[in-house]
Amino acid sequence: MATFLVVHPYLDIYGGGERVCHGVIKTLVNHGQKVELLTFDFDAKRYHDIVGEDFPKQVRVHSLGQRTKEKPPFTIYKRHRNFVKLLKKYRDQLEYDYLFSTQSSSPFEPVFLNKAKKNIAYVHFPEIHYDYARGTFKRRLYLWLFKHWVEQGIGKLDLVFCNSLYTKEAMLKLWKTHGTKEPEVIYPPVNLDKFWCPKLPSERRKQVVYVARFIPIKRHEILKKLAADLPDYEFVSVGGVIEAEKDWFEQFSANLPPNYSLKPNLPGPQLLDILWDSRIYVHLMEGEHFGIAPVEGLASGCITIVHDSGGMREFISPEYRWNSYEDLKTKIINSMEQTDTDKTWQTKREELWREISVLTPQTFQDKIWTQIQTLL
């Protein structure tokens, strides 16, 4: 039996990374390993609401204290300074054989928690290098030092997982020269049975739902505009809100169309009710690294329409992808109003269900453990 230190700083939000963390912890526990978790303030009830299961009692939690709220300027540098300070504090207090980071796309943990025999990471996207490559001169200047710090940890990762072929391609392009190992694509786990609902589109409300964190990159404003342009339909945005984003969320919440509602930090059972009652699920982020929420929308029986980019291209066929705002609006209207929608969607849903049926928690655990065994 080995001791694994799982590092996932932020477990207080509803997102795919949190489901990945839970899947990794369960994998290790189910295979008889000793597991410890390093995170900011841990709330067992909030954790249950996010992942739908109790936190394993045999896992010891080390708290980094309360999440800090950094303000501009130089926000990422202030956050890095505080995080590194805490990592250094815990370095001498923790004993472990293997380090497993399940959240960070900037692998600082192997640099500052440097006692592990091997370092493992589940990388959701190489965000800093991606932003740097696409950024203006001013943006690149801002990110240059942070990018250099990220590069110090890339080559220290002995086993690397990622969430889609899209992310793998980006990692090989942006991290290869810094020593990254060949990433293993293991799609995030989704509890498909939990979300399954047989209701036909015609048996549901004329409602469009979107599930994503309430942050600017997720582009909830598109749903707000759709609600204003399509007053005959209902629109709902569901997502997590953290303290650092409350100011933005309050501004976004102003002047909502009457047919548009926001559901922040919604418990899992209530999310299911909304999905099961909605006719359409739309995903609005461009370049979504994978997208657990669209898979959950699909499993729930919603007609699922995603942006034509990112990891969802690996599962959602072209006719249910959108490129422009007008394209998205047209697809929503057609899905709401066409008389043969039930028959068309049922046929397509069976095909899509076969595609996503590989995304089970058990498949995730089996694949993760198979790779971990190569290090033990």
Side-chain angles (χ1 to χ4, degrees):
M1 178 176 69
T3 300
F4 284 79
L5 178 65
V6 176
V7 182
H8 195 100
Y10 308 120
L11 268 174
D12 58 348
I13 55 177
Y14 187 94
E18 289 61 56
R19 257 72 66 79
V20 165
C21 178
H22 183 65
V24 167
I25 289 174
K26 286 190 68 176
T27 300
L28 297 171
V29 168
N30 290 344
H31 287 90
Q33 306 304 302
K34 182 179 179 183
V35 184
E36 301 189 1
L37 172 67
L38 185 64
T39 186
F40 281 98
D41 257 6
F42 181 75
D43 183 331
K45 183 180 182 303
R46 176 68 182 144
Y47 182 93
H48 182 277
D49 289 343
I50 291 170
V51 303
E53 295 182 35
D54 289 333
F55 185 75
K57 292 183 173 59
Q58 60 269 59
V59 177
R60 183 181 179 188
V61 178
H62 303 278
S63 175
L64 289 166
Q66 291 187 334
R67 178 204 287 259
T68 56
K69 181 181 179 181
E70 294 81 12
K71 296 182 179 180
F74 305 113
T75 304
I76 63 171
Y77 289 96
K78 293 175 182 176
R79 187 180 300 122
H80 175 267
R81 177 195 61 198
N82 293 335
F83 187 42
V84 167
K85 182 179 178 181
L86 291 167
L87 290 180
K88 288 180 176 179
K89 173 184 174 183
Y90 272 90
R91 178 169 54 199
D92 297 329
Q93 300 179 27
L94 299 170
E95 296 295 333
Y96 49 91
D97 301 305
Y98 299 93
L99 176 69
F100 201 139
S101 173
T102 58
Q103 183 176 54
S104 179
S105 297
S106 304
F108 302 121
E109 293 88 348
V111 177
F112 299 102
L113 294 174
N114 52 10
K115 300 185 337 184
K117 296 176 183 177
K118 300 286 184 179
N119 297 300
I120 310 167
Y122 192 104
V123 178
H124 297 277
F125 201 71
E127 293 175 358
I128 297 301
H129 284 71
Y130 183 79
D131 288 350
Y132 182 87
R134 300 179 67 192
T136 62
F137 174 78
K138 184 177 180 181
R139 181 65 176 169
R140 289 158 70 97
L141 188 64
Y142 173 73
L143 290 175
W144 182 86
L145 181 58
F146 199 84
K147 172 177 169 287
H148 173 70
W149 288 342
V150 171
E151 291 164 2
Q152 292 176 342
I154 291 173
K156 297 182 185 298
L157 298 174
D158 300 286
L159 179 58
V160 182
F161 302 109
C162 65
N163 55 15
S164 64
L165 294 171
Y166 169 74
T167 294
K168 178 178 180 176
E169 182 181 349
M171 289 176 67
L172 290 175
K173 179 180 179 181
L174 299 169
W175 281 13
K176 191 67 173 179
T177 57
H178 307 294
T180 187
K181 303 295 188 295
E182 181 89 8
E184 296 285 341
V185 176
I186 299 183
Y187 294 111
V190 185
N191 190 337
L192 299 171
D193 292 336
K194 170 184 172 183
F195 283 87
W196 174 261
C197 179
K199 287 170 64 176
L200 296 170
S202 62
E203 298 171 329
R204 298 162 180 255
R205 297 175 61 183
K206 287 190 173 183
Q207 180 169 277
V208 181
V209 60
Y210 175 41
V211 182
R213 286 178 59 192
F214 282 107
I215 53 176
I217 195 173
K218 296 297 185 178
R219 306 204 297 180
H220 285 273
E221 71 276 1
I222 295 177
L223 206 66
K224 190 176 185 178
K225 178 174 172 53
L226 283 166
D229 288 350
L230 300 171
D232 292 336
Y233 309 143
E234 297 294 320
F235 294 82
V236 183
S237 280
V238 181
V241 180
I242 62 173
E243 187 66 31
E245 300 293 344
K246 281 191 174 179
D247 290 343
W248 175 87
F249 181 74
E250 289 178 4
Q251 293 177 6
F252 179 75
S253 302
N255 302 315
L256 296 179
N259 59 327
Y260 179 42
S261 59
L262 308 181
K263 303 291 183 181
N265 300 326
L266 197 69
Q270 294 181 36
L271 170 62
L272 283 176
D273 288 342
I274 290 175
L275 287 171
W276 291 343
D277 205 28
S278 297
R279 189 171 298 189
I280 296 173
Y281 175 91
V282 296
H283 206 71
L284 304 176
M285 180 179 171
E286 183 175 356
E288 181 69 77
H289 314 146
F290 171 68
I292 285 182
V295 175
E296 293 174 343
L298 180 58
S300 302
C302 299
I303 298 170
T304 302
I305 305 170
V306 304
H307 191 268
D308 190 19
S309 62
M312 273 294 94
R313 288 171 57 93
E314 296 161 36
F315 290 93
I316 304 297
S317 50
E319 64 265 39
Y320 292 98
R321 303 185 210 145
W322 65 277
N323 281 293
S324 67
Y325 176 79
E326 290 302 321
D327 181 26
L328 174 60
K329 188 164 74 169
T330 298
K331 281 182 165 61
I332 289 174
I333 294 172
N334 289 342
S335 296
M336 290 288 194
E337 304 299 341
Q338 287 182 350
T339 56
D340 63 345
T341 295
D342 280 357
K343 181 179 178 180
T344 303
W345 177 243
Q346 281 301 94
T347 301
K348 177 55 66 171
R349 188 187 183 191
E350 291 176 5
E351 175 187 323
L352 295 173
W353 181 262
R354 288 193 294 271
E355 293 291 321
I356 68 172
S357 63
V358 300
L359 304 176
T360 64
Q362 190 59 54
T363 300
F364 176 87
Q365 293 181 36
D366 290 345
K367 290 186 174 182
I368 288 282
W369 182 246
T370 296
Q371 294 300 320
I372 288 176
Q373 283 181 298
T374 64
L375 296 183
L376 298 180

